[in-house]
Amino acid sequence: MDSSLEEWTDERIWAEIEARFEEPMTRGPIASTQLVPLRSVVHSTMSHGRLYLLGDAAHIVPPMSAKGMNLALPDAELFADAVVRYRKERDSSLLDSYSATALRHVWKYQAFASWWTELVHNAGDASYQGEFRRQTARAELAGLFEPGPANRLLSEFIAGLA
């Protein structure tokens, strides 16, 4: 982390909010503050013997992307199908391939989460990577909300359909 909690005064917090919204805000007291690292974690493999990791136990995405549930639910469905097949047919093939199958979906959403987090941070704060990157990020962000393939892909990722 490149800053401390002491550096984040109420004034600085409100200034950051206003910079991101590009308009003045009605200010009030900040009741609580903490610095939260934006991190991604993937445990690969997601299984070891009879231990299977699902959801946040297997992978964490930055909160900016809001994709935790879009990763946890497919894990649960995949694992449940594997357990049912094993219990009914004594076929362990889906359990054996659980990690490899789940990780294809996980890495796709990790890539989205990393891209989205960086894009939004760059679009809002010139001190992050400079004014040039801020303006290109803003142009890229604006393009996502115009009709076309980029908008469709963003919509699919946001809805968890990608």
Side-chain angles (χ1 to χ4, degrees):
M1 217 171 270
D2 60 351
S3 65
S4 68
L5 194 56
E6 293 75 32
E7 295 175 65
W8 287 91
T9 63
D10 286 10
E11 177 61 34
R12 182 175 179 191
I13 292 169
W14 282 113
E16 288 291 326
I17 292 170
E18 289 173 345
R20 284 162 172 50
F21 283 97
E22 293 187 325
E23 62 182 59
M25 304 302 253
T26 303
R27 294 182 176 206
I30 305 291
S32 176
T33 58
Q34 67 182 35
L35 294 176
V36 179
L38 299 178
R39 61 191 171 107
S40 296
V41 174
V42 176
H43 294 286
S44 179
T45 179
M46 291 172 50
S47 62
H48 180 75
R50 293 179 59 189
L51 171 69
Y52 297 88
L53 300 177
L54 288 77
D56 285 352
H59 38 71
I60 299 170
V61 292
M64 178 70 64
S65 65
K67 293 291 125 207
M69 185 174 69
N70 292 119
L71 290 174
L73 291 177
D75 288 355
E77 180 180 26
L78 188 63
F79 184 69
D81 290 345
V83 170
V84 167
R85 176 171 299 169
Y86 179 74
R87 296 284 295 160
K88 284 185 175 179
E89 302 172 22
R90 292 290 176 219
D91 177 357
S92 67
S93 62
L94 293 179
L95 284 171
D96 296 341
S97 65
Y98 164 75
S99 182
T101 303
L103 283 169
R104 285 193 297 273
H105 181 74
V106 167
W107 283 117
K108 181 168 50 171
Y109 273 89
Q110 287 289 352
F112 168 78
S114 295
W115 167 78
W116 183 252
T117 300
E118 183 178 331
L119 177 65
V120 171
H121 280 275
N122 276 325
D125 185 357
S127 69
Y128 190 60
Q129 289 189 357
E131 184 60 27
F132 179 83
R133 180 61 184 123
R134 178 177 182 258
Q135 293 301 330
T136 59
R138 284 180 168 270
E140 184 177 358
L141 194 57
L144 293 171
F145 295 97
E146 297 169 358
N151 178 265
R152 284 191 297 280
L153 183 60
L154 175 65
S155 298
E156 288 177 8
F157 268 108
I158 295 294
L161 302 173

